[in-house]
Amino acid sequence: MKELSLPDYTYTCFDFLGPNNYGDTRCWIALYPMQKISHKEAYQFFVNLGAQPEAGRQAGYSLREALPNVAIKAATSKDVVRILSENKPGIVRLNKELRSYYKYSPGKQAAEWDRFYEEGVIALTSFSLPIGDLSRYESWEELQKASGFTATQVPAELWSLWFFKNAHAGDLVFAARGLNTCIGVGIVESDYYYETVTDGFCHRRRVKWLTNRSYHFLSGTLKGRKTLFRSDIFGPVKDAAFLVEQYKELSGDWQKIFGTTGLAKKSSYTGKMESIPVTNLEEIAMDYEREGNLSFWWLNANPKIWSISGCHEGQTQIYTTHNERGNKRRVYKYFEEVKPGDLLIGYESTPAKQVKAILEVTKGLHTQEGIGEVIEFQIAEIFEYPVHWNDLKSIPALKNCEVFINNQGSLFSLTEEEFDMIREVVDEKNISAEKVWENNEIRPYSFARDPDKPFMNPEEFRQITSLLTRKKNVILQGPPGVGKTFLAKKIAYEMMGETNDLCIEMVQFHQSYSYEDFIQGVRPSANGSFELKDGIFHAFCQRAKAHPEKNYFFIIDEINRGNLSKIFGELMMLIETDKRGWDLKLTYAEEEDERFSVPENLYLIGTMNTADRSLAIVDYALRRRFAFVSLQPDLNESFRTFLEEKGLSQSLTEHIIRQVASLNKEIREDVSLGEGFQIGHSYFCTYRPGEDENNWWQEIVNFELKPLLEELWFDDPHKYRQMLRRLEWNKI
């Protein structure tokens, strides 16, 4: 890329490693423009390495009506550069002529959509980045450097600006509200230009908007996709061909409006991006009028009658228009207006109080024998992470929403904007979880087969998991460095049977930690007002309730450093084993029926350093609700093997085990100290293979153990020096 002077190209390669290439006799490298989703959507600078190496031009697999590939034999790397240099003008030109597809968010929650649609533009702000006019930067590296970020710190906003600048006339833009609603389609008409404006949207492109009709994506419409768009402001769209097909089906006018763009060609969607030649954009007729056929609703599901959590996607459900007493539900006229295709927000009322699903009406008002008047709908999508009532009620833009003004009833009308806003909140929560999921490698777990397990007896580990299963709340206590937090996660993995960090939440208590942080409280909002916000434990309980089939683990590090009675509040009762599932009104509850409970599938693990002399003992009322497990430094055979496998010599390994065990015996027998002040094994787990072990040991002694021993025997300097001498080791 450097020799060809392709600063805004990236690469992909296929090597001989891994099962995907098992048995192949070649590997290859492909250079392609960074703004493309992958090499499959571009003409590539291609190098094929095999018995006879070749270089030239390769058409991406997803290109339609592509030019033939060019492959020329290359004996050396210089031949490769020469061949690719000769083909460079043609490849670069072809890639510029290919249509690209972008997602564009016109302001937060599409607040600027009407204005930008009217003006025929797309526009971005600088997101507080000190970069000014993007025309000054000829490459991604220049823009990145000007922003002040390193390669590992680049924000998504900078990528959005770069994609925005490099889009070409003729590229297609899908305007988006949230992650699942497309609110318009347009074609870029102009190059990038910078305009000084008061609202900050100074980065601009002229766009010919083709339609402002909305398309609402439902999970399951496209295999393997929970959301239609990514969360960036402006960026490539992976499933553009799918969107094109959906818009074709939405309107019979599509051929009339889009025919000259090449977008109306018949194609069977395969999940791959289509590249379509740009032709005659000036002939597009903009006579399409929006059709508001779709209606949006909010449906309350009473879990005492039927629970959304008990349903599955694709399942059909009915809802009666009359209650158990035979009276019409509020508001009855809405049931008369519901029609097939309408979308409903599926809300499960008290005690869950969560938006859990998107429902799609399959039959309007009709009579079923033996039941009466009903509407019928399908569970279109069940959210992995539901959104609580409080998360929506605190949004200023929803303050006039009918369901939040008076939630007494079953069916409520929503505007399209309100539906999209609620959907966006749900999407943001779920997409954040999905990003974590992507970085969360889930593997089957067994303590017995774990090569990186804690240094403890397997029977002792089994006893702890058995204790947690029965009691649901345990506290791991012991000296600093015995691996309490490390052990807590291993216990969770063992009980889940997998390394799923999405089912684990962790927090550290401190003296300023409060009930409002942990459970619920009134907090200032961005607009200057105050609103009720759920704390981390409250939110985690809602997540656990949404998946009763899974085990969830809440780990509280340094649990004794907080004011436990103040932090736990009503939890003092609700976390008890036999009180799980009980509903209780919280301190900040606004309504009488607003209740909170701790689910059966949630387990609490606390950790506590017994060496914290400055802290009061744990409240006796709280002690009754936890089982306490004492951990000791275990310098056993597993620890010896661990150090030797790290690369430590046998001499130093024996020295550490012998002398630390001797020190711990002195500490345990000292009446002013005791076993809570022993030296944990984690001090000695930091050695890196290849490191000078003598220097490593001296650093640990001088900067970690020496200050610790000096504090332990601050009133006995002779004892302190005697203990320190035991740690001295000279490499032979």
Side-chain angles (χ1 to χ4, degrees):
M1 288 190 292
K2 184 176 180 180
E3 293 193 45
L4 292 172
S5 186
L6 294 170
D8 288 334
Y9 271 58
T10 186
Y11 72 93
T12 189
C13 62
F14 196 67
D15 62 21
F16 287 121
L17 303 178
N20 290 335
N21 205 13
Y22 181 74
D24 205 337
T25 59
R26 68 184 188 113
C27 58
W28 49 261
I29 305 169
L31 315 182
Y32 64 97
M34 292 170 66
Q35 64 260 42
K36 295 297 182 182
I37 287 288
S38 79
H39 65 286
K40 297 178 182 179
E41 280 79 52
Y43 284 99
Q44 310 149 19
F45 292 84
F46 196 81
V47 182
N48 183 29
L49 300 174
Q52 178 58 64
E54 297 174 329
R57 183 187 72 214
Q58 179 96 355
Y61 177 74
S62 298
L63 299 188
R64 299 197 326 174
E65 303 176 4
L67 295 177
N69 296 331
V70 174
I72 302 173
K73 293 180 180 180
T76 67
S77 59
K78 288 184 179 179
D79 289 340
V80 169
V81 173
R82 175 182 54 79
I83 294 167
L84 296 182
S85 295
E86 292 171 355
N87 282 272
K88 176 182 173 180
I91 297 175
V92 171
R93 177 182 55 80
L94 286 171
N95 280 325
K96 287 183 177 180
E97 291 176 354
L98 287 177
R99 168 169 284 152
S100 294
Y101 303 85
Y102 295 100
K103 170 250 182 160
Y104 168 61
S105 296
K108 187 173 179 58
Q109 296 175 338
E112 308 296 332
W113 169 237
D114 290 338
R115 177 162 68 97
F116 290 162
Y117 179 80
E118 184 72 22
E119 295 177 9
V121 299
I122 52 175
L124 295 182
T125 68
S126 291
F127 307 105
S128 301
L129 298 173
I131 49 180
D133 188 345
L134 302 180
S135 301
R136 299 181 297 174
Y137 310 108
E138 295 185 0
S139 69
W140 163 250
E141 285 77 9
E142 289 183 19
L143 179 59
Q144 182 184 3
K145 184 177 180 180
S147 71
F149 290 93
T150 65
T152 58
Q153 298 175 319
V154 178
E157 291 84 354
L158 194 65
W159 277 109
S160 292
L161 288 167
W162 186 85
F163 283 125
F164 188 87
K165 172 186 177 290
N166 286 280
H168 300 300
D171 287 346
L172 206 66
V173 176
F174 298 99
R177 181 186 289 119
L179 302 178
N180 283 295
T181 302
C182 183
I183 54 178
V185 184
I187 294 182
V188 178
E189 287 191 302
S190 74
D191 291 334
Y192 163 86
Y193 64 96
Y194 185 86
E195 185 174 289
T196 303
V197 289
T198 57
D199 61 6
F201 286 92
C202 49
H203 308 287
R204 297 190 162 225
R205 309 290 296 256
R206 296 293 303 173
V207 170
K208 181 181 288 294
W209 292 112
L210 305 177
T211 178
N212 63 351
R213 181 170 185 175
S214 294
Y215 166 70
H216 297 271
F217 176 77
L218 295 175
S219 178
T221 310
L222 184 58
K223 185 177 180 180
R225 299 279 291 187
K226 286 285 187 181
T227 59
L228 182 61
F229 298 117
R230 300 191 305 186
S231 57
D232 43 13
I233 307 299
F234 188 92
V237 173
K238 182 177 182 180
D239 300 304
F242 168 80
L243 259 175
V244 168
E245 294 293 334
Q246 297 306 305
Y247 268 96
K248 286 185 196 177
E249 295 178 7
L250 281 177
S251 172
D253 293 333
W254 181 266
Q255 180 73 34
K256 177 181 178 182
I257 299 171
F258 297 90
T260 55
T261 69
L263 293 175
K265 293 179 179 179
K266 290 184 178 180
S267 65
S268 57
Y269 179 65
T270 62
K272 303 179 180 65
M273 180 91 77
E274 292 180 287
S275 295
I276 305 168
V278 181
T279 57
N280 302 324
L281 298 181
E282 68 280 357
E283 297 180 6
I284 297 175
M286 291 302 298
D287 59 351
Y288 181 82
E289 293 184 1
R290 189 176 183 178
E291 297 177 11
N293 291 328
L294 205 60
S295 296
F296 304 91
W297 311 92
W298 172 292
L299 184 69
N300 281 345
N302 185 342
K304 296 177 182 178
I305 301 174
W306 70 281
S307 172
I308 295 176
S309 300
C311 299
H312 57 81
E313 291 183 2
Q315 182 177 340
T316 300
Q317 189 58 266
I318 60 171
Y319 202 100
T320 62
T321 62
H322 290 67
N323 61 25
E324 294 82 355
R325 296 183 178 180
N327 298 321
K328 290 182 178 179
R329 297 189 186 276
R330 180 185 180 276
V331 175
Y332 180 77
K333 68 173 183 177
Y334 289 158
F335 287 94
E336 296 178 307
E337 296 173 7
V338 166
K339 60 187 180 302
D342 286 358
L343 298 178
L344 304 93
I345 296 290
Y347 174 78
E348 198 167 285
S349 56
T350 304
K353 302 195 72 171
Q354 294 176 326
V355 170
K356 290 192 170 184
I358 296 293
L359 318 172
E360 183 175 7
V361 177
T362 50
K363 289 183 181 180
L365 189 63
H366 65 286
T367 301
Q368 280 198 8
E369 186 176 349
I371 298 177
E373 284 187 343
V374 297
I375 61 171
E376 183 186 89
F377 52 85
Q378 188 179 64
I379 313 293
E381 179 178 358
I382 294 179
F383 302 126
E384 182 75 15
Y385 295 98
V387 169
H388 195 264
W389 171 268
N390 292 336
D391 295 333
L392 298 174
K393 193 174 182 180
S394 61
I395 299 174
L398 291 175
K399 66 179 181 179
N400 294 322
C401 183
E402 183 178 300
V403 70
F404 294 108
I405 295 175
N406 179 7
N407 192 32
Q408 299 302 310
S410 303
L411 188 64
F412 302 86
S413 177
L414 297 174
T415 65
E416 183 178 351
E417 290 72 21
E418 290 168 346
F419 177 90
D420 289 340
M421 200 169 298
I422 294 169
R423 182 63 200 257
E424 183 174 3
V425 173
V426 175
D427 288 342
E428 286 179 354
K429 183 171 184 176
N430 281 267
I431 202 69
S432 297
E434 286 180 15
K435 287 181 179 178
V436 176
W437 187 280
E438 290 173 1
N439 300 320
N440 180 36
E441 186 179 355
I442 299 177
R443 304 182 307 275
Y445 181 82
S446 168
F447 178 80
R449 295 191 295 271
D450 185 0
D452 190 29
K453 56 174 167 281
F455 307 120
M456 72 184 319
N457 187 293
E459 180 58 30
E460 184 182 0
F461 182 85
R462 187 204 63 76
Q463 187 178 41
I464 297 173
T465 57
S466 176
L467 187 61
L468 180 59
T469 301
R470 177 180 62 81
K471 188 73 174 178
K472 294 194 180 293
N473 313 308
V474 300
I475 287 180
L476 307 176
Q477 62 179 2
V482 294
K484 295 181 290 295
T485 306
F486 179 71
L487 175 60
K489 293 194 75 172
K490 296 294 184 178
I491 291 170
Y493 291 161
E494 178 74 5
M495 290 181 62
M496 288 188 289
E498 60 183 13
T499 58
N500 186 356
D501 288 333
L502 285 173
C503 292
I504 301 174
E505 188 64 82
M506 184 179 295
V507 69
Q508 187 178 67
F509 278 3
H510 50 78
Q511 292 174 342
S512 297
Y513 209 78
S514 68
Y515 176 91
E516 287 75 15
D517 299 314
F518 196 58
I519 308 297
Q520 193 178 68
V522 177
R523 296 294 190 190
S525 63
N527 60 12
S529 61
F530 287 84
E531 57 190 38
L532 185 64
K533 291 188 177 181
D534 295 332
I536 187 171
F537 186 75
H538 190 292
F540 192 70
C541 284
Q542 303 306 326
R543 192 193 308 179
K545 289 176 185 177
H547 303 282
E549 75 285 357
K550 297 180 181 179
N551 288 333
Y552 282 75
F553 299 84
F554 197 93
I555 301 173
I556 305 174
D557 195 33
E558 307 281 7
I559 190 171
N560 58 326
R561 286 189 172 273
N563 186 333
L564 300 182
S565 296
K566 177 183 176 183
I567 294 172
F568 275 79
E570 298 90 347
L571 289 185
M572 295 288 278
M573 181 179 75
L574 297 179
I575 64 173
E576 288 190 57
T577 310
D578 59 349
K579 305 296 191 302
R580 293 300 182 93
W582 282 28
D583 295 327
L584 197 67
K585 186 177 180 181
L586 296 178
T587 302
Y588 290 92
E590 297 177 324
E591 301 171 9
E592 184 59 35
D593 65 346
E594 189 170 333
R595 304 284 170 143
F596 175 74
S597 64
V598 178
E600 288 275 356
N601 60 326
L602 190 146
Y603 298 86
L604 276 168
I605 306 176
T607 70
M608 183 170 73
N609 281 333
T610 49
D612 288 329
R613 290 180 291 193
S614 62
L615 301 175
I617 61 173
V618 175
D619 189 299
Y620 281 108
L622 196 64
R623 274 190 175 274
R624 184 172 64 81
R625 291 157 171 85
F626 283 85
F628 284 75
V629 178
S630 294
L631 303 176
Q632 303 293 326
D634 196 350
L635 309 180
N636 56 16
E637 194 60 35
S638 297
F639 180 66
R640 183 194 306 275
T641 303
F642 172 81
L643 294 182
E644 291 180 350
E645 288 180 349
K646 279 276 191 177
L648 282 180
S649 65
Q650 184 178 359
S651 172
L652 181 54
T653 299
E654 292 296 335
H655 177 76
I656 292 172
I657 293 174
R658 185 173 61 253
Q659 296 306 329
V660 172
S662 174
L663 275 174
N664 283 339
K665 183 175 182 294
E666 294 282 351
I667 293 171
R668 288 195 305 270
E669 295 176 352
D670 193 314
V671 293
S672 62
L673 296 174
E675 63 180 22
F677 291 88
Q678 296 178 87
I679 298 171
H681 48 251
S682 67
Y683 285 98
F684 317 109
C685 296
T686 59
Y687 180 76
R688 296 187 298 271
E691 190 176 0
D692 187 302
E693 64 178 14
N694 188 56
N695 290 340
W696 170 79
W697 177 243
Q698 290 304 318
E699 286 184 359
I700 289 177
V701 171
N702 293 332
F703 302 107
E704 297 182 53
L705 299 181
K706 180 179 177 181
L708 176 63
L709 297 178
E710 190 173 18
E711 182 180 348
L712 293 180
W713 284 290
F714 70 95
D715 57 347
D716 191 347
H718 175 72
K719 185 68 172 284
Y720 152 67
R721 287 191 293 271
Q722 181 187 1
M723 296 300 105
L724 187 61
R725 280 195 296 271
R726 291 189 182 185
L727 296 174
E728 293 178 0
W729 177 75
N730 294 316
K731 185 175 182 180
I732 300 175

